[in-house]
């Protein structure tokens, strides 16, 4: 009976040892896998978003101007008042561009056969100053500035020299041209600048959002790495505890065998 009990006990010990070895192997594999995951997660770096794109260049076109002039039956009513400008500090700002505009308007008037009052230098200078003040006030808008003045001068002079616009004015299809052209260019310029600002703001927001998304992704990777490191530490601790248990069981088995050998040797000595 004692021998049968011992055999059963040894069988269960073997089963336990095999189970412990299996769990130790799984724990060791978990340590390796989790360690690799920690290294992988820690190696992640944020991807730099695509640079913010510049808004596509847009130009005020002559075709759009002609459509505008023909569509706008009240073009002549858009001419700003040519009353004396509000008193301002003496300035020569934009004087060169405005003088060119004035000359272009005079040339246009001659081409379309408009009646032009002869003006002396003082009257011409006053008219130029009125126009210059209007241009300076319009250019004060943050969307315009000197770039708009240069562009408006080029565009207006080109429009006033355009043969089809000259023909439409001669035929009476247009009531007024000079100020409607200026107003059209100003409004079209503003629309382009507004669209450009919206586009670039959207690009800036996109870049910022992508950077935030990347920062969140890296933060999540670091969190996963920490969780994997903790799990790896637990798995390694489990492996060590099982190893200690297995070592203790081995020592206990060896002691039992030594004790059995001593008893067997003692029994043989008594019989003899």
């Amino acid at each position: 009976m004692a021998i049968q009990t011992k055999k059963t006990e040894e069988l269960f010990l073997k089963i336990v040892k095999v189970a412990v070895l299996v769990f130790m192997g799984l724990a060791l594999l978990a340590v390796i896998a989790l360690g690799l995951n920690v290294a992988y997660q820690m190696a992640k770096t944020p991807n730099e978003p695509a640079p913010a794109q510049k808004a596509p260049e847009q130009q005020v076109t002559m075709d759009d101007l002609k459509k505008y002039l023909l569509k706008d039956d009240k073009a002549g009513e858009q001419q700003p008042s040519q009353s004396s400008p509000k008193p301002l500090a003496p300035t020569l700002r934009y004087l060169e561009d405005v003088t060119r505009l004035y000359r272009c308007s005079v040339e246009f008037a001659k081409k379309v056969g408009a009646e032009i009052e002869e003006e002396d230098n003082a009257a011409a200078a006053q008219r130029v100053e009125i126009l210059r003040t209007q241009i300076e006030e319009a250019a004060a808008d943050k969307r315009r500035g000197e770039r708009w003045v240069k562009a408006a001068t080029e565009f207006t002079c080109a429009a006033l020299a355009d043969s089809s616009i000259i023909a439409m004015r001669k035929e009476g299809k247009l009531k007024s041209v000079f100020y409607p052209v200026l107003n059209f260019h100003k409004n079209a310029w503003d629309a382009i600048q507004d669209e450009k600002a919206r586009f670039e703001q959207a690009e800036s927001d996109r870049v910022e959002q992508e950077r935030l998304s990347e920062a969140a992704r890296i933060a999540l990777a670091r969190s996963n790495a920490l969780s994997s490191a903790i799990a790896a530490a637990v798995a390694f601790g489990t492996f060590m505890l099982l190893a200690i248990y297995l070592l203790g069981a081995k020592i206990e088995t060896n002691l039992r065998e030594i004790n059995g050998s001593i008893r067997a040797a003692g029994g043989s000595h008594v019989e003899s």
Side-chain angles (χ1 to χ4, degrees), residues 2 6 16 44 49 80 90 136 140 151 168 186-187 195 215-217 228 249:
K6 184 178 180 181
V16 170
K44 288 184 178 179
E136 183 177 5
M168 285 189 290
K186 180 180 67 175
N187 295 334
E195 178 62 27
R217 184 177 68 84
S228 295

Side-chain angles (χ1 to χ4, degrees), residues 4 34 61 79 105 134 164-165 169 226 250 263-264:
Q4 184 64 34
L34 291 168
T61 66
Q79 177 173 330
S105 67
Q134 293 169 348
S164 60
I165 292 178
R169 181 67 179 87
L226 178 60
K250 180 64 175 174
R263 285 181 180 179

Side-chain angles (χ1 to χ4, degrees), residues 87-151:
L88 295 173
T91 174
L92 297 178
R93 195 172 190 186
Y94 309 131
L95 181 58
E96 182 179 348
D97 297 294
V98 173
T99 301
R100 183 184 173 195
L101 276 175
Y102 175 74
R103 290 172 180 168
C104 289
S105 67
V106 172
E107 290 297 321
F108 177 77
K110 291 178 181 179
K111 290 177 182 178
V112 298
E115 294 183 3
I116 305 174
E117 296 181 4
E118 293 294 333
E119 295 181 333
D120 57 21
N121 291 338
Q126 184 181 13
R127 190 176 292 276
V128 168
E129 177 57 23
I130 292 172
L131 180 58
R132 191 204 63 75
T133 302
Q134 293 169 348
I135 293 295
E136 183 177 5
E137 290 176 352
D141 189 295
K142 63 180 181 180
R143 295 170 295 183
R144 300 173 197 147
E146 186 173 357
R147 286 180 58 247
W148 170 74
V149 175
K150 298 290 185 186

